[in-house]
Amino acid sequence: MAEVSTYRLLDGKSASKAIRGRIAQEAAEVKTERARAPHLAAVLVGSDGASRTYVDAKVKACETAGFRSTLIELGADTTEDELLALVHRLNNDPELDGFIVQLPLPVHIDEEKVTLAIDPRKDVDGFHPENLGRMVLGLPGFLPATPAGIVELLRHYGVRTSGMHCVVVGRSNIVGTPMSILMSRNSEPGNCTVTVTHSRTRDLAAITRQADILIPAIGRPEFITADMVKEGAIVVDVGIHRIEEPSRKRGFRLVGDVKFDEVAPKCSWISPVPGGVGPMTITSLLLNTLKAAKG
Ligand code: GUN
């Protein structure tokens, strides 16, 4: 008899809806106390299609949660100095609780310089070294939105992680590296034994097959196949890619770093793309902005 797969979805859309409901309530309280709603600004430089979609989703999420939002769109020819001047202006704007500069930036702008220029108290993306350092030391601060969203997703579904082997694929500053730290922290979710893998890892599949929790964040469409995953694993897919498909109205479909259809039947839990980590990143951004507004 064929085995019936029994995986459960780590549904980021549904989790976000519940969490954002609570955020909206708290935002209303903040608005009553301070006579203004939490206020997030998003800066978009250039016209990258995917970045625009993400920024639009962030602005829309603010509206739904009763936040104020400001979208600042700059041309692709904006100079580094112009962007730095804007960052300084936003740092000093008393009406603004937090802001983000959507990445990637055009190649002529140094992302590190821009990130360093953001006031850590308004850095609701959690990308500034001060906030990353605070995370490492377990001090209060803003956690990077995507890794924090993954922790919230696991918490929402009551997934126990203590003592498990978590394998993170990718070592980026904004996902892989902070994710590995959050999963090893003495907290629940957390308390994992963590392995960080990357493009130079030898025999990657042998390591991913040992994962109780697998978190691919490599930016390669459908890279993780069924043979790389252990039976019963928990898989959280951070990737999101547009695959051209002219027959669709939008002209593309979205896939993650995981070949979902063949991997899902082996999993105990798996997050879909879209509707998994993406909405949770935005939910974390709202949580960080609310925190900034509360001071
Ligand atoms: N680009 C991809 N993910 C993110 C994110 O979480 N924040 C910003 N600012 N840019 C991104």
Side-chain angles (χ1 to χ4, degrees):
M1 198 172 67
E3 207 173 309
V4 181
S5 64
T6 55
Y7 70 86
R8 285 163 290 178
L9 268 192
L10 291 165
D11 181 341
K13 230 169 139 176
S14 158
S16 284
K17 200 168 167 207
I19 300 167
R20 289 184 204 181
R22 295 197 291 271
I23 293 173
Q25 273 177 8
E26 286 194 45
E29 286 165 21
V30 167
K31 191 173 176 185
T32 308
E33 282 164 23
R34 301 191 316 171
R36 70 175 180 83
H39 182 192
L40 172 78
V43 180
L44 178 64
V45 186
S47 56
D48 177 68
S51 288
R52 163 149 284 286
T53 307
Y54 302 146
V55 169
D56 286 347
K58 290 171 185 180
V59 168
K60 190 158 166 261
C62 281
E63 281 163 24
T64 313
F67 287 23
R68 187 176 155 202
S69 65
T70 301
L71 173 59
I72 302 167
E73 294 178 76
L74 302 174
D77 57 353
T78 301
T79 65
E80 188 176 277
D81 281 347
E82 284 167 337
L83 182 57
L84 288 171
L86 172 65
V87 167
H88 289 301
R89 198 148 49 77
L90 298 176
N91 282 342
N92 295 307
D93 182 346
E95 296 279 299
L96 193 61
D97 297 299
F99 66 97
I100 64 159
V101 178
Q102 187 67 26
L103 304 179
L105 290 170
V107 289
H108 64 276
I109 300 178
D110 183 345
E111 286 184 357
E112 197 177 289
K113 238 182 185 170
V114 174
T115 302
L116 278 165
I118 296 174
D119 183 336
R121 289 164 301 181
K122 290 195 175 181
D123 168 39
V124 286
D125 255 331
F127 291 172
H128 191 281
E130 180 172 325
N131 283 314
L132 288 172
R134 284 178 169 274
M135 176 193 68
V136 172
L137 298 174
L139 296 170
F142 297 118
L143 296 175
T146 298
I150 291 170
V151 170
E152 287 304 318
L153 186 61
L154 294 169
R155 193 196 316 280
H156 181 82
Y157 284 99
V159 178
R160 310 288 298 175
T161 63
S162 187
M164 288 186 170
H165 182 200
C166 175
V167 175
V168 178
V169 190
R171 55 181 164 185
S172 72
N173 290 343
I174 67 174
V175 184
T177 297
M179 192 73 244
S180 68
I181 292 162
L182 291 184
M183 293 309 284
S184 67
R185 283 198 309 189
N186 184 3
S187 66
E188 186 69 49
N191 280 319
C192 286
T193 303
V194 177
T195 302
V196 181
T197 63
H198 44 76
S199 54
R200 304 287 175 94
T201 295
R202 228 179 291 142
D203 199 0
L204 177 67
I207 298 169
T208 58
R209 273 197 294 270
Q210 293 171 36
D212 302 311
I213 304 174
L214 181 62
I215 308 185
I218 26 172
R220 291 173 67 173
E222 300 184 317
F223 179 80
I224 301 289
T225 46
D227 58 306
M228 299 170 79
V229 178
K230 178 164 83 173
E231 199 68 48
I234 299 160
V235 175
V236 186
D237 189 353
V238 182
I240 183 152
H241 314 276
R242 291 178 172 198
I243 304 290
E244 269 188 52
E245 207 161 287
S247 63
R248 294 205 178 197
K249 212 164 107 191
R250 293 193 297 185
F252 63 88
R253 71 189 164 95
L254 293 172
V255 301
D257 285 353
V258 175
K259 210 162 191 174
F260 185 91
D261 289 346
E262 65 173 59
V263 170
K266 293 186 86 171
C267 297
S268 56
W269 291 95
I270 184 167
S271 69
V273 176
V277 172
M280 294 306 296
T281 296
I282 299 179
T283 298
S284 292
L285 185 63
L286 296 178
L287 280 169
N288 278 346
T289 306
L290 183 64
K291 196 168 164 180
K294 287 179 165 181

